[in-house]
Every structure is written in C-alpha cells, then in structure tokens.
Amino acid sequence: MNSSTTTNLLKLSVLSAGIMLAASQHAGAACSYTVTNNWGNGFTGEIKVTNNTGQTVNNWSVSWREPGASVTNAWNATLSGANPYTASALGWNATLAPGASASFGFQANGTASTPTVNGSLCGVATSSTATTSSTQSSTPAVSSSSSIKSSVAVSSSKSSSSAASSIPAESSWIFEESAVGFCSNSGVIDTKHSGYTGTGFIDTENVIGASILWSINAANNASYNMQIRFGNGGSAARRASLEVNDISIKTLDFPTNSNWTQWQTVNVSVPFKAGVNSVKLVAETADGLANIDSISVTGNGVTPAACPTAPTTPAAQDCNSVTSQPILQVAADGSATYKTIAAALNTISSSNTTPTQIRIKPGTYREKLLITKPLVTFCGQTGKEASTILTYNDGASTLKADGTAIGTSGSASVTIKTNDISMENITIENSFGIGSQAVALLAQGQRLQFRNCRLLGNQDTLYTHSGTQYYRNCHIQGTVDFIFGAATAVFENNTIHSVGGGSALTAPSTEQTVPYGLVFLGGKVTATPNVAKGSVALGRNWRPYGAAAYIRTELGQHISAVGWVKMSENTLDTARFSEYLTTGAGANTSARAPQSKQLTATQAATYTIGNIFGSWQPSYSK
C-alpha cells in the first residue's frame, strides 16, 4: 500500500479577538492537514492555518482526532490533550495578518488517516481530500524551499505503484532555532538583521570553538544533502568544521558579502546513519561562526530528533559508584581493612581475571609501588585527589645497595607493568626535587587510563614507556621533558604545567611504524610566573621518529615561537610534530620549526579515539 499525503481544506468564518467577522466569498480561514512523511507504523504531519480574511486574527488554535494513531510530540505550537489533540499558537506565530499563514508539525505513532481539523479558526466542517503518492523511486530528487518556516517538512514525492509504504519518503526539513531538533548554541538568537526566517538567527560568540548543535533522525545509512542559510557581513570569510556524530567530516568556508542582511547558502553532503544523528558546526576562526539562519536537510525519512541529555551527575560515572566488583578498602590512618596500597594489592592474584577495585581514602601513602596485577582500578574519593597522595623520593642518581645508580626507570614512585589498569582521583608524586631525573609514574602496558589525577615532579615526571594510555582531566607538572616515552598516549582536556625552566614539555620516542605518539586533545599548557616567556618548546624528539600533536590546545606565553627542537644527535627532519588550531599567546604558528606541520582540518579529523586506539575505547573517554 502506498503512503499518502492528505489535505483537508476547510474555508470557514473566522472569530478574531472576540469579534465575529462577516463571512463573504473572500472572507474565511483555510486549515490544511498534510501527512509529510509516512513510514508505515508512524508518520509526521503538518497543519497549516491561513488567514484569508481582510482583518488580523490573533491567538489561533486547532484541534483534531487521530483515529488510528497517537501524537508523540509537536513543534512550533503548544500541544495539549490526548486524542482529540489541541495545538495553540506560540507568541511569535500567534498573530496572522490578512493572507498570512502559520504552520506547525507533529510526529505520531500508528496509521495515518484523514482527520477533521476544528478550532477557533477552522470551526466545524467536513473534510475534502486530495491524495498523491509519497514513495521513493530509483532516482531521488532534492526538494528545498526558502519559504518553508520553522521545521516544516515538505514531501518530495515519487510515483511507484509497487513501492512499499514502509519505505520512508524523501523530504526536506528546515531546522530553525528554538524548534525541535535545535539543541544548543554558544551565542544568542538575534533579530537585528532583517531577512531571516523563523524567529531569528544564531549569532555565536566571536571565538574559536563557538558552535551550534542539531539532532536529526534519518531513515537510512546514506548521504543526505544539507543546505546552510547564513549571513556574513564581516571583513573576511569565516571557516567552520562540520561534525557529524562527533566526527569532523569537512571544513566549510562561509564567504563574506559585506552585508549582514543579504543571506547566502552553502550546500554540503553529509553521511548519516539510520536513526539519530548529531550535526555540529564549530568555528575555526577567532570571529566565530557566520550568522546561521537555518539548515535544510533533504533525504529519506528526515525528521527532527530529541536532543541528547547530559549525564545526570558526574558521580554516576565515577569509580566510587561501581558496586559490581570486589572492593578492597585502604586507609593510611588504619580505619580500613588495609593500611597500605601494597598490602591490598598483594591479595590479588598475578593472573587476575576479575575486575577489582582498591578504594583509597585520603591520606599520604609513602610507598614505592610496582603494579603487576591486571584489571585493577585504583579509586580515590571523588574530589579528593589533592589529599590522596602516593609519593616517594627516588631520583635516577639514587644508589642501590650495590652502590650503582637506580637510573631513570628505577626512580619511579609508581610503576605499572601490566594491562587494564585504571586510576582516578589520585595524586602520584616524586618529591626528589631538581637535580636528577625523578619519575612519578612509569606506565608500561595496554589499556591504561587515568582520570582526575595529579602527576607531580620535575624532570621526567611521566614516563609513557609503551603500550596504549589515556589521560583525562589530569594535572601534569614538571620542568624538563616531563612527558616522555614511546607509548601511544592521548591527553584529553588536561593541564600541562611547567613549574620551572626546561627545554621542552615532551620527549616522544615513538617507533617509526607507530602512527600516533603523544596526542593532546584540547586542554591547556600553563606555567608558573618564574618560567620565562618563550623559553619552553612543545617537544623534542628523544628518538628520531618521535611523534607529538597538539589539537585545539591553549598554549601559554612560555611556549617558544619555534615550537619544536631536536634532542642530541637526532634531526627534526624525521620527527613527526604537528599542531591544529592551537590558541593562546604561545600559538605563534608562523614562526614554527619548518619541519613541523600545521594540520589541515581533514588531517586533524583523523585524530580520534577510534583511529588512535583501534578497538579500545577507554571507559573514561565516554
């Protein structure tokens, strides 16, 4: 059975502002009901009211009954009632001048039919119907109309007597501000420039990273056409990254025409998955985004989707909320089962296969820890990382019993030599001071993750020895090469803090065959006041093919203009050092070492958790 588009046209006398208007051949209101998209067990519809009188009408409302369906949501009107349903005008579309129209849309579960529309404009009348097919053929057509307002879907129909009604029709949907499917923006909805549609346009903040987010349902895994309506009366083009489902797919330029009231359009093909998709525009220039009036999306089964909701509370994701694992309690003051972390750790088998938690109460734990038991989470109390301190004070020059130095690796306060270790809400410190390499954490293993941790030291604070590692919302501080090693490690939203003079922040020793080394996603690079301006490089290559990348990271003024330097006999010609949209006083990209690279948007888009780690998605990254 083919899906249908049904129009119920009713011309009646109009009651406006409490005054009954005289009916005549040219004085009446038209109310139309249209099925805009039908996928068999559900559909979307549009009801349009048009003032065909010679006088202005206010505060319209309509009601209707769905014989075989239930309405789940509506947009551009206030929905009330439960079959019959009533839709009332919003403030911005309540007043209709002579000849003006207002439309609202709705989504329903069930079978579409031919209901009668009643209300203060429509009154009571019988319906007349007009039916057209609304199914997909082998040659899809794109339909887009600038006259469509506020998330109204328009069917782009195809005739096919054999097409199944379960195949969603191709349609265009206009997504306006303040309507279903419009989720958020870093700015305001403004009306100061004429020519916009809907209730206004989105004027974002004038910063890199300013963004707008939409949520869109699609029927198929396919490419959909999107048209962005924008205004740019500024002095230069404005560039933005287009992200679909959190993946940057394209960089778009929004050219200037030096007139904020002359609106332009940009067309782009976007890859959607079947179901709910997020679409995000992110500014890549300091001027923010162009003024965005609306987006129009064309394809099969396009409808607005509910916006994503944030996690209920941060605590719901915290290690302290886990109850499904064995839990070993540690307290330095003797108030728990174990007084030291080592004592709790020693009760776990070296071939452990059961995820286990060691929960650590605030206190100072002066232990030199070697962690070789897999599948263990070291969990400090939420918000107590600064007072939950694992510390030791060996330096590379510290002597062993035989009189030889323990070396850099031997100096670590905490050493991990196993897989599947998590740490949260904890400080790891090497208190040796300056004068020698002194490692706080040596991490060697696969799938190691750290969140809300503080790693404190001076030279060589964090030794990312090898394996795969993820750090989120951590504070890592030191002086010289204080993040170094051969691991593939991602640092997301961390603070990298210099506490004294040093040649470089990082010293990667990435193997030539490893595509990613140390990757910094967002976050800040800061320094204490005693660190001289322009005195610290972003990195130097400990091994010839050392790799490090800073993506959208804010760099303090202590970062040198050249950015990258070589170590010892190594050359920058083989090093793999790169940046993308770094900001701040230290982001002097024009003066960078010529061997380093400023990534394009397409290249930067490959720096995702999925690409870097493959099948492993750290739970702390979700």
Side-chain angles (χ1 to χ4, degrees), residues 2 74 87-88 116 145 150 152 237 241 257 299 307 336 344 355 402 413 421 452 483 485 494 514 555 600:
N2 291 336
S88 302
T116 298
S145 173
S150 304
V152 177
S241 172
N257 60 8
C307 295
D402 63 4
S413 300
I421 296 295
N452 298 331
I483 302 175
N494 294 266
V514 175
L555 308 179
T600 66

Side-chain angles (χ1 to χ4, degrees), residues 213-284:
L213 178 66
W214 297 268
S215 188
I216 301 171
N217 270 318
N220 301 329
N221 295 316
S223 292
Y224 284 63
N225 184 69
M226 186 168 75
Q227 183 180 82
I228 306 170
R229 190 171 192 260
F230 72 96
N232 183 7
S235 59
R238 302 194 181 191
R239 175 166 290 186
S241 172
L242 177 63
E243 298 179 3
V244 177
N245 298 320
D246 299 320
I247 298 174
S248 179
I249 64 161
K250 190 165 292 188
T251 297
L252 301 176
D253 282 322
F254 295 85
T256 179
N257 60 8
S258 302
N259 189 334
W260 290 107
T261 63
Q262 290 186 3
W263 299 87
Q264 308 177 70
T265 57
V266 166
N267 290 279
V268 59
S269 178
V270 292
F272 278 170
K273 63 183 181 181
V276 177
N277 298 267
S278 67
V279 174
K280 191 174 187 180
L281 276 179
V282 182
E284 295 190 354

Side-chain angles (χ1 to χ4, degrees), residues 112-296:
S113 60
T114 311
T116 298
V117 182
N118 305 286
S120 61
L121 282 181
C122 305
V124 179
T126 57
S127 62
S128 60
T129 63
T131 303
T132 60
S133 72
S134 180
T135 55
Q136 179 181 346
S137 76
S138 59
T139 309
V142 174
S143 174
S144 177
S145 173
S146 61
S147 65
I148 306 166
K149 299 288 198 302
S150 304
S151 303
V152 177
V154 178
S155 174
S156 178
S157 303
K158 311 287 176 288
S159 296
S160 174
S161 59
S162 62
S165 62
S166 60
I167 300 175
E170 183 177 275
S171 59
S172 282
W173 205 287
I174 299 288
F175 292 81
E176 296 276 14
E177 65 293 325
S178 301
V180 176
F182 175 79
C183 297
S184 64
N185 74 98
S186 49
V188 297
I189 297 175
D190 210 337
T191 58
K192 63 187 176 185
H193 302 305
S194 62
Y196 58 83
T197 62
T199 61
F201 56 87
I202 304 152
D203 184 1
T204 66
E205 298 174 304
N206 294 334
V207 294
I208 292 174
S211 64
I212 306 171
L213 178 66
W214 297 268
S215 188
I216 301 171
N217 270 318
N220 301 329
N221 295 316
S223 292
Y224 284 63
N225 184 69
M226 186 168 75
Q227 183 180 82
I228 306 170
R229 190 171 192 260
F230 72 96
N232 183 7
S235 59
R238 302 194 181 191
R239 175 166 290 186
S241 172
L242 177 63
E243 298 179 3
V244 177
N245 298 320
D246 299 320
I247 298 174
S248 179
I249 64 161
K250 190 165 292 188
T251 297
L252 301 176
D253 282 322
F254 295 85
T256 179
N257 60 8
S258 302
N259 189 334
W260 290 107
T261 63
Q262 290 186 3
W263 299 87
Q264 308 177 70
T265 57
V266 166
N267 290 279
V268 59
S269 178
V270 292
F272 278 170
K273 63 183 181 181
V276 177
N277 298 267
S278 67
V279 174
K280 191 174 187 180
L281 276 179
V282 182
E284 295 190 354
T285 67
D287 291 330
L289 294 173
N291 289 343
I292 304 298
D293 182 39
S294 65
I295 63 171
S296 171

